Amino acid sequence: MNDILHESSKIQIVKRLLTYVKPYKLKVTLVILLLLIVMACNSVTPYLMKISIDTFVAEKNVKALILLGCGLILMNVFSMILSGIRTIAMSKITNQILVDIRHSLYTHIQTLSFNFFDNRPVGKIISRVVGDVNALQNLLNNSIVNLIPNVFTIILVICLMLILNPMLAGICLITMPLLLFAMFYIQIKADNKWKIFREHRSSLIGYTHESLSGMKVIQGFSRKYYAKDKFDSHIGNHANGFMTAVFTQDFFWPFLTAFRGLSMVILLGSGYLLSKQGNLSLGTLMAFFMYIEMLWRPIINLSSFYNAFVTSMSAGERIFDILDTKSDIVDEASIKALPQIKGDIEFDHVTFSYTNADIPALKNTSFKLKAGEKIALVGETGAGKTTITNLISRFYDPTFGCVKIDGLDIKDVTVESLRSQMGIMLQDSFLFSTSIKENIRYGKLNATDEEVVQAAKAVNAHEFIEKLEKGYDTDVNERGSRLSLGQRQLIAFARALIADPRILILDEATANIDTETELLVQEGIKKLMKGRTSIVIAHRLSTIRDCDKIFVLSKGKIVESGTHDELLKNHGYYYKLYSAQYSFLKQDA
């Protein structure tokens, strides 16, 4: 039953791959036509050899032999030219199909919710987009280059053999059923081995990406030998998986060689007996030898194709597994875009768990924010602060309850229209490996150079940018590695400012800025927050004293709310947090 389901799965994968071929069906048809012409030219050669031996050689007709030889040369030159055109055309078609598949895969991944990325290492996702799509190249090329012409060749050769001598053809083909049985049996075994190999390869890529990303941690803790041992384990599994799959796959070739030799022996023996009886001419026997060679060559090619087919099916299965993954955050067909918002936010009895088995990260939480208010979220690690901002941004949907902006449930508006009016600043601000100018412009893609400079000046980033070698055109390297943490954060502030969001979220946004830099950037932050609903998460309580309201969270619940002064007077949870940071202020408080 599993094998039946597996074969059904392969058929479905092939059908889905064909949808990517459909836009190029006219070009593919032309390539197939060229292939058929080339194969027909090759297949007719042995028959012409039979005529030349049985007729022209026997009659010593030199003129006819010369004409036939010239004809064969011209036919082969013509075939070579068509073959070259076919190769170039097929390469272009295959490359474009791979581009289309990568576009589909990358575009779909961008629509997936955070749950998808929470449960998959980045390296494994990269393996799908790069490695698995590359694996499909062999399938697409081989399907046209090997499958169609070789199947056509086998059918044509068998037909010509039957026309020349049905009895001898039947005797020569007697080994074929046994060979097919051996081929399919071995390939089924090899299929499972290739699946295991690809899983090991995916794990290797995932670990390699992770270890290179965390190289500072590895070197900082002097764990290079520990990391090397883990890498050796992954690469050992990868190598063993490959060797096992190849060994199983290549076990077929001895059978192929044996059956090939056996078919030649059968042809020699039966040809001798038939020619002795006068039922077989020398030309026909020569033609059969050539046809047997022509028959075995496509069988070998088809065996190689099946190997590529099995490997590519595993790759296709993983690609379509991602394409079939549904996002938890989906825009319904009937919903509309969110109009320009004022910035009112309401949590209406919201409960949320990151997985069904988890203890809720947020429990029955309700609060309201007015447009333009500046509020702060404080509490211990894991209290639910970032969860609130994730729900406002609709990176996740509440398990129960709803989140409203300007009175509208955010599930009833498109994600694009919601997030385009929000700005998010994180503790670890991500910068792309391009220029500072382009990183700032990411907040507003059509921003002019002057707007970029003004945004940088507003957050006091202009001065240090101007001191760099190429100023705003300086490349920051991957993740902004050539800049300090504080400099990266300032550029991220400028990016958020130029986006002009109606709701601004600052999640520990000043944590990586030193005290002196923080004083410089405070004015920029005030400009950034002016007229916007702003939500600040900060462990450094000095940065939130001027907030209109402070929500204190503990274990997924809001336990206190009020202004800084009100919360200190209450001598509650916030007072304890504040006193722990500023013990010298206890008496004054």
Side-chain angles (χ1 to χ4, degrees):
M1 183 66 178
N2 290 334
D3 288 339
I4 294 173
L5 290 173
H6 188 57
E7 290 302 319
S8 176
S9 174
K10 286 182 180 178
I11 293 171
Q12 292 301 319
I13 291 171
V14 170
K15 286 181 178 179
R16 294 186 66 171
L17 286 174
L18 287 176
T19 62
Y20 289 95
V21 180
K22 191 174 180 180
Y24 310 98
K25 59 184 179 182
L26 291 178
K27 292 181 179 179
V28 172
T29 302
L30 177 61
V31 170
I32 293 173
L33 180 62
L34 292 175
L35 278 169
L36 295 179
I37 295 172
V38 171
M39 292 298 103
C41 290
N42 294 335
S43 299
V44 80
T45 300
Y47 186 76
L48 294 177
M49 290 295 295
K50 172 195 177 301
I51 294 174
S52 66
I53 293 172
D54 288 346
T55 305
F56 301 143
V57 172
E59 296 175 356
K60 297 181 180 181
N61 191 340
V62 177
K63 185 178 179 180
L65 285 172
I66 292 173
L67 289 174
L68 183 63
C70 291
L72 284 172
I73 291 172
L74 290 174
M75 187 171 63
N76 284 322
V77 170
F78 177 68
S79 174
M80 183 178 67
I81 293 171
L82 292 184
S83 183
I85 295 172
R86 182 265 304 164
T87 302
I88 294 171
M90 192 60 223
S91 296
K92 289 182 178 179
I93 294 169
T94 301
N95 183 65
Q96 191 56 52
I97 291 171
L98 292 180
V99 169
D100 293 344
I101 293 174
R102 277 203 178 93
H103 273 302
S104 296
L105 192 57
Y106 183 76
T107 302
H108 181 71
I109 288 172
Q110 285 187 306
T111 68
L112 297 177
S113 56
F114 276 25
N115 271 336
F116 174 82
F117 301 97
D118 292 341
N119 299 319
R120 289 171 177 81
V122 173
K124 288 196 173 187
I125 299 174
I126 293 173
S127 175
R128 301 291 186 270
V129 178
V130 179
D132 286 338
V133 174
N134 282 342
L136 291 180
Q137 184 173 9
N138 293 329
L139 177 63
L140 293 170
N141 273 329
N142 287 327
S143 294
I144 305 300
V145 176
N146 280 336
L147 179 62
I148 295 173
N150 286 314
V151 169
F152 173 76
T153 300
I154 290 172
I155 294 172
L156 184 60
V157 167
I158 291 175
C159 289
L160 289 171
M161 289 170 67
L162 290 170
I163 291 170
L164 285 175
N165 194 308
M167 182 183 298
L168 186 59
I171 294 171
C172 290
L173 298 175
I174 199 170
T175 60
M176 291 300 167
L178 295 174
L179 179 63
L180 290 174
F181 175 78
M183 182 178 72
F184 283 110
Y185 177 79
I186 293 171
Q187 295 295 356
I188 289 171
K189 294 291 183 182
D191 188 3
N192 294 326
K193 303 298 181 183
W194 282 115
K195 273 192 165 184
I196 295 170
F197 160 70
R198 285 198 168 267
E199 288 301 320
H200 287 317
R201 190 186 72 170
S202 182
S203 296
L204 172 63
I205 293 173
Y207 177 75
T208 303
H209 179 275
E210 182 182 65
S211 60
L212 292 177
S213 299
M215 189 55 66
K216 288 183 179 179
V217 176
I218 292 172
Q219 294 186 0
F221 284 89
S222 190
R223 293 292 183 266
K224 60 181 181 180
Y225 294 112
Y226 173 76
K228 178 182 177 298
D229 289 342
K230 290 194 70 174
F231 181 79
D232 287 346
S233 175
H234 280 291
I235 206 167
N237 290 335
H238 176 268
N240 290 335
F242 178 76
M243 291 305 298
T244 302
V246 168
F247 177 80
T248 306
Q249 184 74 45
D250 289 350
F251 195 65
F252 170 71
W253 298 114
F255 282 94
L256 185 62
T257 303
F259 280 114
R260 183 180 184 184
L262 181 60
S263 66
M264 287 296 185
V265 171
I266 292 173
L267 175 60
L268 281 170
S270 55
Y272 171 76
L273 293 175
L274 289 172
S275 61
K276 191 176 180 180
Q277 295 172 3
N279 297 326
L280 187 69
S281 67
L282 180 60
T284 303
L285 184 60
M286 287 296 296
F288 260 82
F289 270 110
M290 295 180 70
Y291 278 132
I292 286 294
E293 275 300 309
M294 288 184 66
L295 189 62
W296 280 102
R297 197 179 307 124
I299 290 174
I300 293 171
N301 291 337
L302 286 177
S303 299
S304 299
F305 166 75
Y306 190 77
N307 181 19
F309 175 77
V310 169
T311 306
S312 300
M313 284 300 97
S314 298
E317 194 173 2
R318 278 189 293 275
I319 288 170
F320 291 123
D321 176 59
I322 290 182
L323 288 174
D324 290 338
T325 301
K326 304 295 183 183
S327 176
D328 297 331
I329 311 298
V330 180
D331 288 339
E332 299 294 338
S334 59
I335 65 175
K336 298 179 179 180
L338 179 67
Q340 184 171 355
I341 60 176
K342 298 176 183 177
D344 293 331
I345 299 175
E346 179 183 356
F347 270 53
D348 186 6
H349 297 91
V350 172
T351 296
F352 175 75
S353 297
Y354 284 97
T355 66
N356 292 331
D358 278 347
I359 297 173
L362 212 61
K363 304 172 185 175
N364 197 29
T365 300
S366 297
F367 63 83
K368 292 183 179 181
L369 305 179
K370 294 180 180 178
E373 274 192 324
K374 176 184 174 183
I375 68 107
L377 304 175
V378 300
E380 76 273 7
T381 300
K385 306 183 295 296
T386 300
T387 299
I388 287 177
T389 61
N390 283 338
L391 293 174
I392 293 173
S393 306
R394 210 187 169 199
F395 293 142
Y396 304 91
D397 279 334
T399 308
F400 301 104
C402 67
V403 179
K404 298 179 181 178
I405 292 181
D406 289 355
L408 295 173
D409 190 332
I410 60 175
K411 289 183 180 180
D412 296 333
V413 298
T414 63
V415 173
E416 180 71 22
S417 64
L418 169 68
R419 293 178 186 166
S420 65
Q421 301 188 64
M422 302 183 67
I424 302 173
M425 282 283 303
L426 304 175
Q427 180 177 350
D428 181 20
S429 291
F430 185 92
L431 297 184
F432 296 94
S433 55
T434 183
S435 67
I436 290 175
K437 182 192 298 181
E438 291 306 312
N439 269 288
I440 295 175
R441 187 175 277 139
Y442 202 81
K444 182 183 177 183
L445 296 178
N446 61 348
T448 64
D449 289 353
E450 181 60 29
E451 287 176 310
V452 170
V453 173
Q454 289 303 318
K457 286 180 176 179
V459 296
N460 296 310
H462 178 73
E463 185 176 347
F464 91 80
I465 294 173
E466 284 290 282
K467 291 178 180 178
L468 296 173
E469 181 183 356
K470 296 182 181 179
Y472 284 85
D473 292 318
T474 302
D475 284 333
V476 300
N477 294 346
E478 187 175 2
R479 300 182 68 93
S481 60
R482 71 178 299 173
L483 302 177
S484 70
L485 293 174
Q487 289 172 333
R488 292 180 221 168
Q489 208 71 346
L490 290 173
I491 291 173
F493 272 119
R495 181 169 61 195
L497 178 62
I498 205 171
D500 192 24
R502 305 311 307 153
I503 296 175
L504 181 66
I505 296 172
L506 305 176
D507 191 346
E508 290 289 344
T510 60
N512 292 328
I513 300 177
D514 58 76
T515 304
E516 183 178 352
T517 305
E518 184 180 354
L519 292 174
L520 291 173
V521 83
Q522 284 301 325
E523 184 180 348
I525 293 176
K526 288 179 181 178
K527 290 181 181 179
L528 191 60
M529 292 182 172
K530 187 176 181 181
R532 298 180 174 91
T533 304
S534 301
I535 302 169
V536 182
I537 296 176
H539 286 102
R540 195 185 301 175
L541 300 184
S542 62
T543 62
I544 61 172
R545 295 181 63 168
D546 297 331
C547 288
D548 298 317
K549 191 177 292 184
I550 298 171
F551 292 111
V552 185
L553 289 96
S554 179
K555 299 179 180 178
K557 292 184 177 181
I558 297 176
V559 294
E560 286 184 307
S561 65
T563 64
H564 172 75
D565 292 334
E566 289 171 350
L567 292 173
L568 288 180
K569 289 177 182 178
N570 290 341
H571 283 248
Y573 192 79
Y574 180 81
Y575 176 81
K576 293 178 182 178
L577 291 175
Y578 189 84
S579 298
Q581 289 190 19
Y582 303 98
S583 57
F584 61 93
L585 293 177
K586 279 186 178 181
Q587 293 180 355
D588 294 338

